[in-house]
Amino acid sequence: MSFNAADTPYRWDGFDTAWYGRLFANEAVREGLVNTLIVAAGATVLSTVLGTLLAVGLARYTRSKLLDAIAVAPAVLPDIVLAIGLLAFYTAVRFTLGLHSILLAHAVFGTAFVAAVVRTRLAHVDGSLEEASRDLGATPVQTFVRITLPSLAPGIVAGALLAFSLSMDEFVIAFFTAGPADPTLPIVIYSMVRFGVTPEINALATLLLAVSFTFVIMAQRLSRLTESL
């Protein structure tokens, strides 16, 4: 329907891309897209760094079922529960809401997904390489940078792609932790849908689906590559 020349879903008036032009001319959509990209990029960087370190720490240094459960909790908790918990925490510490609060909130659940993907890769990494590096005089940091990190690269990239895709589409947590002046794209879509689904929404949904499918498929391919190496 995003390519329908008609402004109603009840008839087909021919193929047209005019709704995409109107979509890109919408200032609210452009502002929401910029905010979403800022949040997604920042959350991806944070969650990739923290998730990788968390995965290595749990797999190599601290074995604990309790810590494993805590690490994956943000990924399995319902969004509404996590959103209310984060909002309550922000209120308790008097943390102002804005793009920074959404970014940190997205990094919380993104870290869990990155850690899960990286741990899958770690299961296929030969630990004897790290032992050999330490035996030859390398420090733990040198071993991590020169041996562990390159071995984990496919898993890290896959986790980062997944975290970026999830952050781009996330609505519930962003809705609870956003400030009034910095709506992300899903919040803008929600405000537009309340007045009815227009062809612009169809065009936007088509683009978001295309981006999401692309990143998820790339992450899945890299995960399969991780398992085969």
Side-chain angles (χ1 to χ4, degrees), residues 54-65:
L54 178 62
V56 174
L58 291 175
R60 292 286 192 265
Y61 301 101
T62 305
R63 301 293 180 89
S64 170
K65 291 184 178 180

Side-chain angles (χ1 to χ4, degrees), residues 135-147:
D135 290 340
L136 292 173
T139 65
V141 174
Q142 290 175 327
T143 299
F144 177 77
V145 172
R146 297 184 179 183
I147 303 298

Side-chain angles (χ1 to χ4, degrees), residues 103-165:
L103 190 155
L104 293 175
H106 283 191
V108 169
F109 70 82
T111 297
F113 285 98
V114 173
V117 175
V118 174
R119 287 197 71 177
T120 301
R121 172 59 183 162
L122 269 171
H124 296 83
V125 173
D126 188 0
S128 62
L129 295 176
E130 298 174 355
E131 294 178 5
S133 175
R134 291 191 293 268
D135 290 340
L136 292 173
T139 65
V141 174
Q142 290 175 327
T143 299
F144 177 77
V145 172
R146 297 184 179 183
I147 303 298
T148 307
L149 201 58
S151 301
L152 297 179
I156 293 173
V157 175
L161 290 173
L162 185 59
F164 185 85
S165 177

Side-chain angles (χ1 to χ4, degrees), residues 62-124:
T62 305
R63 301 293 180 89
S64 170
K65 291 184 178 180
L66 176 60
L67 291 179
D68 286 343
I70 294 174
V72 300
V76 299
L77 282 175
D79 286 350
I80 187 68
V81 174
L82 186 59
I84 293 175
L86 288 168
L87 179 59
F89 173 75
Y90 288 157
T91 303
V93 299
R94 298 182 181 181
F95 192 70
T96 58
L97 300 182
L99 289 182
H100 54 285
S101 60
I102 308 175
L103 190 155
L104 293 175
H106 283 191
V108 169
F109 70 82
T111 297
F113 285 98
V114 173
V117 175
V118 174
R119 287 197 71 177
T120 301
R121 172 59 183 162
L122 269 171
H124 296 83

